[in-house]
Amino acid sequence: MGYFIKVQPDVKLFVEDLNPDSENTIVFLHGWPGSHELFEYQFNDLPRMGYRCIGIDQRGFGQSDKPATGYDYDRLSDDVLCIIETLQLKNIILLGHSTGGAIAIRYMARHKQYQVSKLVLCAAAAPSLIRRSYFPYGQKKSDIMGIIKQTYEDRPEMLREFEKQFFYQSVTDAFSDWFFRLGLKAAGWATAEIAATWLREEALFEDLRKIDAPTLIMHGIHDEVCYFPLAKAQQQGIRNSILIPFEKSGHGLFYEEKDKFNDVLTSFIESEICE
């Protein structure tokens, strides 16, 4: 079941809501530059296991409205709050992949973990996607600026190049075309603005220390987008967290090791504590 929810007077976001009668709710925040459809291989299985799966297309992406502004982590986390309040969700699992992970972290800090019982970070773009003087593990600033420049000059080619970094395992030509089309659904300006957000000092280091909900961190050791040391920094920053490395995955661990991903996720959800 899909519908739109107003998060600002002139902005509506698309929400995919599967198995809405279940009280076991997982809210999925996708990464750049895709949509909720990236989680297809979770949505295939988890609703049949009794979970309610809510996939949100962030503003500018998928089927959501594509305004010119609002692509900082504060506004994006406020969008998530609007959806949680509108749907009257309680005791949810909040799951974020890549940039969606950064948004989830900001949500937890900015909105004091409102209605979230557990947090799941998957290849999260946090605490910083780029290298800084105090954090030498991220992408070069010049590489991200190159992505922004290419987005405005030849976005289809940028997306093709980005896919080469995304997956560690080989994918079929058909899957590659599907992944490419997801990126094309986004607005060019939204694609560039999110990339520009990565360059800002977004204080996610401080946000990590404000999280005390049980947190699962899943990260591919071959990730060429959000390098594996980012996951270690997340574990160090979140006091009640566990890190599960994915030995055969890059940035697309939800597909490259989808069975392990789903198994680890559901085991974490069903456990009483974060061990």
Side-chain angles (χ1 to χ4, degrees), residues 217-252:
I217 302 165
M218 297 188 281
H219 213 105
I221 65 171
H222 304 286
D223 197 327
E224 294 185 2
V225 179
C226 298
Y227 301 131
F228 191 73
L230 273 66
K232 293 182 178 180
Q234 294 160 27
Q235 184 184 26
Q236 292 171 358
I238 301 174
R239 62 179 66 90
N240 189 18
S241 63
I242 180 172
L243 170 59
I244 305 295
F246 279 61
E247 308 288 343
K248 301 176 183 178
S249 292
H251 198 55

Coordinates of all heavy atoms in Angstrom, one line a residue, residues 217-252:
I217 N 24.9 -2.3 14.0 CA 25.6 -1.7 12.9 C 26.1 -2.8 12.0 O 26.7 -3.7 12.4 CB 26.9 -0.9 13.4 CG1 26.5 0.2 14.4 CG2 27.7 -0.4 12.3 CD1 27.7 0.7 15.2
M218 N 25.6 -2.7 10.7 CA 26.0 -3.7 9.7 C 26.8 -3.0 8.6 O 26.3 -1.9 8.1 CB 24.8 -4.4 9.1 CG 24.0 -5.2 10.1 SD 22.6 -6.2 9.3 CE 21.4 -5.0 9.1
H219 N 27.9 -3.5 8.2 CA 28.8 -2.8 7.3 C 29.6 -3.8 6.5 O 30.2 -4.7 7.0 CB 29.7 -1.9 8.0 CG 30.0 -0.6 7.3 ND1 29.5 0.6 7.6 CD2 30.8 -0.4 6.3 CE1 29.9 1.6 6.8 NE2 30.8 1.0 6.0
G220 N 29.6 -3.6 5.2 CA 30.5 -4.4 4.3 C 31.9 -4.0 4.4 O 32.3 -2.8 4.4
I221 N 32.8 -5.0 4.6 CA 34.2 -4.7 4.8 C 34.9 -4.2 3.5 O 35.9 -3.5 3.5 CB 35.0 -5.9 5.3 CG1 35.1 -7.0 4.3 CG2 34.4 -6.4 6.6 CD1 36.0 -8.2 4.7
H222 N 34.2 -4.4 2.3 CA 34.8 -3.9 1.1 C 34.1 -2.6 0.6 O 34.2 -2.3 -0.6 CB 34.6 -5.0 0.0 CG 35.2 -6.3 0.4 ND1 36.5 -6.6 0.3 CD2 34.6 -7.5 0.8 CE1 36.8 -7.8 0.7 NE2 35.6 -8.4 1.0
D223 N 33.4 -1.9 1.5 CA 32.6 -0.7 1.1 C 33.6 0.3 0.6 O 34.5 0.8 1.3 CB 31.9 -0.2 2.3 CG 30.8 0.7 2.0 OD1 30.9 1.5 1.0 OD2 29.7 0.8 2.7
E224 N 33.4 0.8 -0.6 CA 34.2 1.8 -1.3 C 33.5 3.2 -1.2 O 34.1 4.2 -1.8 CB 34.6 1.4 -2.7 CG 35.5 0.2 -2.8 CD 35.9 -0.1 -4.2 OE1 35.6 0.7 -5.1 OE2 36.6 -1.1 -4.4
V225 N 32.3 3.3 -0.6 CA 31.6 4.5 -0.5 C 31.8 5.0 0.9 O 32.3 6.1 1.2 CB 30.1 4.4 -0.9 CG1 29.4 5.7 -0.7 CG2 30.0 3.9 -2.3
C226 N 31.3 4.3 1.9 CA 31.5 4.5 3.3 C 32.4 3.5 3.8 O 32.0 2.3 4.1 CB 30.1 4.5 4.0 SG 28.9 5.7 3.4
Y227 N 33.7 3.9 4.0 CA 34.7 2.9 4.3 C 34.4 2.2 5.7 O 33.8 2.9 6.6 CB 36.1 3.6 4.3 CG 36.4 4.2 3.0 CD1 36.9 5.5 2.9 CD2 36.3 3.5 1.8 CE1 37.3 6.1 1.7 CE2 36.7 4.0 0.6 CZ 37.1 5.3 0.6 OH 37.5 5.9 -0.6
F228 N 34.9 1.0 5.8 CA 34.6 0.3 7.1 C 35.0 1.0 8.4 O 34.3 0.8 9.4 CB 35.3 -1.1 7.0 CG 34.8 -2.1 8.0 CD1 33.6 -2.6 8.0 CD2 35.6 -2.4 9.1 CE1 33.1 -3.5 9.0 CE2 35.2 -3.3 10.1 CZ 33.9 -3.8 10.0
P229 N 36.1 1.8 8.4 CA 36.4 2.5 9.6 C 35.3 3.4 10.1 O 35.2 3.7 11.3 CB 37.7 3.3 9.3 CG 38.3 2.5 8.2 CD 37.2 1.9 7.4
L230 N 34.4 3.8 9.2 CA 33.2 4.6 9.7 C 32.4 3.8 10.6 O 31.8 4.3 11.6 CB 32.4 5.1 8.5 CG 32.8 6.4 7.8 CD1 34.1 6.3 7.2 CD2 31.7 6.9 6.8
A231 N 32.2 2.5 10.3 CA 31.4 1.6 11.2 C 32.1 1.5 12.6 O 31.4 1.5 13.6 CB 31.2 0.2 10.5
K232 N 33.4 1.4 12.6 CA 34.1 1.3 13.9 C 33.9 2.6 14.7 O 33.7 2.5 15.9 CB 35.5 1.0 13.6 CG 35.8 -0.4 13.0 CD 37.3 -0.6 12.9 CE 37.6 -2.0 12.3 NZ 39.0 -2.3 12.1
A233 N 33.9 3.7 14.0 CA 33.7 5.0 14.7 C 32.2 5.0 15.2 O 32.0 5.6 16.3 CB 33.9 6.1 13.7
Q234 N 31.3 4.5 14.5 CA 29.9 4.5 15.0 C 29.8 3.6 16.2 O 29.1 4.0 17.2 CB 29.0 3.9 13.9 CG 28.9 4.8 12.6 CD 28.4 4.0 11.4 OE1 27.7 3.0 11.6 NE2 28.8 4.5 10.3
Q235 N 30.5 2.5 16.2 CA 30.4 1.6 17.4 C 31.1 2.2 18.6 O 30.6 2.1 19.7 CB 31.1 0.3 17.1 CG 31.0 -0.8 18.2 CD 31.8 -2.0 17.9 OE1 32.8 -2.0 17.2 NE2 31.4 -3.1 18.5
Q236 N 32.1 3.0 18.4 CA 32.8 3.6 19.5 C 31.9 4.8 20.0 O 32.0 5.1 21.2 CB 34.2 4.2 19.0 CG 35.2 3.1 18.7 CD 36.4 3.6 18.1 OE1 36.6 4.8 17.8 NE2 37.4 2.7 17.8
G237 N 31.2 5.4 19.1 CA 30.4 6.6 19.6 C 29.1 6.2 20.2 O 28.6 7.0 21.0
I238 N 28.5 5.1 19.9 CA 27.2 4.7 20.4 C 27.4 3.7 21.5 O 27.9 2.5 21.2 CB 26.3 4.1 19.3 CG1 26.1 5.2 18.2 CG2 24.9 3.7 19.9 CD1 25.3 4.6 17.0
R239 N 27.0 4.0 22.7 CA 27.4 3.2 23.8 C 26.8 1.7 23.8 O 27.4 0.8 24.3 CB 27.0 3.9 25.1 CG 25.5 4.1 25.3 CD 25.3 4.8 26.7 NE 25.8 6.2 26.7 CZ 25.2 7.3 26.3 NH1 23.9 7.1 25.8 NH2 25.7 8.4 26.3
N240 N 25.6 1.6 23.3 CA 24.9 0.3 23.4 C 24.8 -0.3 22.0 O 23.7 -0.4 21.4 CB 23.6 0.5 24.0 CG 22.9 -0.9 24.3 OD1 23.5 -1.9 24.4 ND2 21.6 -0.9 24.6
S241 N 25.9 -0.6 21.3 CA 25.9 -1.0 19.9 C 26.7 -2.2 19.7 O 27.6 -2.6 20.5 CB 26.4 0.2 19.1 OG 27.8 0.4 19.4
I242 N 26.4 -2.9 18.6 CA 27.1 -4.1 18.2 C 27.4 -3.9 16.7 O 26.5 -3.5 15.9 CB 26.3 -5.4 18.4 CG1 27.0 -6.6 18.0 CG2 24.9 -5.3 17.8 CD1 26.4 -7.9 18.4
L243 N 28.6 -4.3 16.3 CA 29.0 -4.2 14.9 C 29.1 -5.6 14.3 O 29.8 -6.4 14.8 CB 30.3 -3.5 14.8 CG 31.0 -3.5 13.4 CD1 30.2 -2.9 12.3 CD2 32.4 -2.8 13.5
I244 N 28.4 -5.8 13.1 CA 28.5 -7.1 12.4 C 29.1 -6.8 11.0 O 28.5 -6.1 10.2 CB 27.1 -7.7 12.2 CG1 26.4 -7.9 13.6 CG2 27.2 -9.0 11.5 CD1 27.1 -8.9 14.5
P245 N 30.3 -7.3 10.8 CA 30.9 -7.1 9.5 C 30.3 -8.0 8.5 O 30.0 -9.2 8.8 CB 32.4 -7.4 9.7 CG 32.6 -7.5 11.2 CD 31.2 -7.9 11.8
F246 N 30.2 -7.6 7.3 CA 29.8 -8.4 6.1 C 31.0 -8.6 5.2 O 31.4 -7.7 4.5 CB 28.6 -7.7 5.4 CG 27.3 -7.9 6.1 CD1 27.0 -7.4 7.4 CD2 26.2 -8.5 5.4 CE1 25.8 -7.6 8.0 CE2 25.0 -8.8 6.0 CZ 24.8 -8.3 7.3
E247 N 31.4 -9.9 5.2 CA 32.7 -10.2 4.6 C 32.7 -10.2 3.1 O 33.7 -10.1 2.5 CB 33.2 -11.6 5.1 CG 33.2 -11.7 6.7 CD 34.3 -10.9 7.3 OE1 35.3 -10.5 6.6 OE2 34.3 -10.7 8.5
K248 N 31.5 -10.3 2.5 CA 31.4 -10.5 1.1 C 30.6 -9.3 0.4 O 30.1 -9.4 -0.7 CB 30.7 -11.8 0.7 CG 31.3 -13.0 1.3 CD 30.5 -14.3 1.0 CE 31.2 -15.5 1.6 NZ 30.4 -16.7 1.3
S249 N 30.6 -8.2 1.1 CA 29.8 -7.0 0.6 C 30.6 -5.8 0.5 O 31.6 -5.5 1.3 CB 28.6 -6.8 1.6 OG 27.7 -7.8 1.5
G250 N 30.1 -4.9 -0.4 CA 30.6 -3.5 -0.4 C 29.5 -2.7 0.2 O 29.0 -3.0 1.3
H251 N 29.1 -1.6 -0.5 CA 28.1 -0.7 0.0 C 26.7 -1.2 -0.1 O 25.8 -0.8 0.7 CB 28.2 0.6 -0.8 CG 27.5 1.8 -0.1 ND1 27.9 2.2 1.2 CD2 26.6 2.7 -0.5 CE1 27.2 3.3 1.5 NE2 26.4 3.6 0.5
G252 N 26.5 -2.2 -0.9 CA 25.1 -2.8 -1.1 C 24.8 -4.1 -0.4 O 24.3 -5.0 -0.9

